[in-house]
């Protein structure tokens, strides 16, 4: 069960960070970043399985593939932005984390515009 590995790695890293934070804060930050990357590596394989299943569902439901890939991009951006913002927060850089989140929100909004426009066209066609 990979969840026990993920939790174990997280707990060991947390204990190491707590012990090193006062004496060697730069090492504590490096351990935090390395642990985040390792956990992200564990999770990315599972995300690929979810993408494959959703792709098959979209093909079976005859969903326009352009919209489906856009939604997947938006979800991916949201995860990457959250990951980057949390690392910045761990380093004590709340303002940078906020800017990362703002950048992610703007990119998501831009990617979502074609879907919004298609939805608005559909609504206009339905209304008399």
């Amino acid at each position: 069960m990979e969840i026990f590995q993920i939790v174990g790695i997280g707990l060991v890293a947390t204990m190491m960070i707590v012990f090193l934070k006062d004496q060697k804060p730069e090492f504590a930050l490096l351990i935090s970043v390395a642990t985040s990357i390792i956990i992200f590596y564990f999770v990315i394989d599972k995300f690929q399985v979810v993408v494959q299943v959703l792709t098959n569902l979209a093909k079976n439901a005859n969903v326009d593939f352009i919209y489906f890939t856009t939604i997947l991009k938006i979800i991916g951006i949201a995860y990457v932005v959250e990951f980057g913002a949390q690392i910045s927060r761990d380093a004590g850089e709340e303002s940078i984390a906020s800017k990362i989140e703002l950048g992610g929100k703007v990119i998501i909004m831009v990617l979502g515009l074609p879907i919004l426009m298609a939805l608005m066209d559909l609504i206009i066609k339905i209304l008399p």
Side-chain angles (χ1 to χ4, degrees):
M1 303 216 30
E2 291 179 13
I3 190 65
F4 293 117
Q5 291 174 330
I6 292 171
V7 171
I9 290 169
L11 290 175
V12 169
T14 301
M15 288 187 286
M16 290 172 61
I17 291 168
V18 167
F19 291 132
L20 289 175
K21 196 172 248 182
D22 293 332
Q23 298 164 354
K24 301 277 185 178
E26 61 276 0
F27 288 135
L29 178 60
L30 288 175
I31 291 171
S32 175
V33 171
T35 303
S36 298
I37 291 170
I38 290 168
I39 291 173
F40 189 72
Y41 178 74
F42 273 103
V43 175
I44 198 75
D45 289 336
K46 302 303 178 203
F47 188 69
Q48 289 175 344
V49 172
V50 171
V51 169
Q52 289 174 350
V53 169
L54 290 176
T55 302
N56 291 336
L57 286 173
K59 286 179 184 177
N60 291 338
N62 294 326
V63 174
D64 192 355
F65 205 68
I66 294 171
Y67 299 131
F68 177 72
T69 56
T70 301
I71 300 257
L72 287 180
K73 286 178 188 177
I74 289 171
I75 292 169
I77 289 169
Y79 280 122
V80 170
V81 165
E82 180 65 22
F83 180 73
Q86 288 300 327
I87 288 176
S88 294
R89 282 192 183 90
D90 289 345
E93 296 296 329
E94 182 65 37
S95 65
I96 293 175
S98 296
K99 302 315 181 276
I100 291 171
E101 289 173 340
L102 175 65
K105 289 174 185 176
V106 170
I107 291 171
I108 287 171
M109 187 171 51
V110 169
L111 282 175
L113 280 177
I115 295 173
L116 179 63
M117 296 303 292
L119 183 62
M120 293 302 291
D121 286 342
L122 182 65
I123 291 172
I124 290 170
K125 287 178 184 176
I126 292 173
L127 294 176

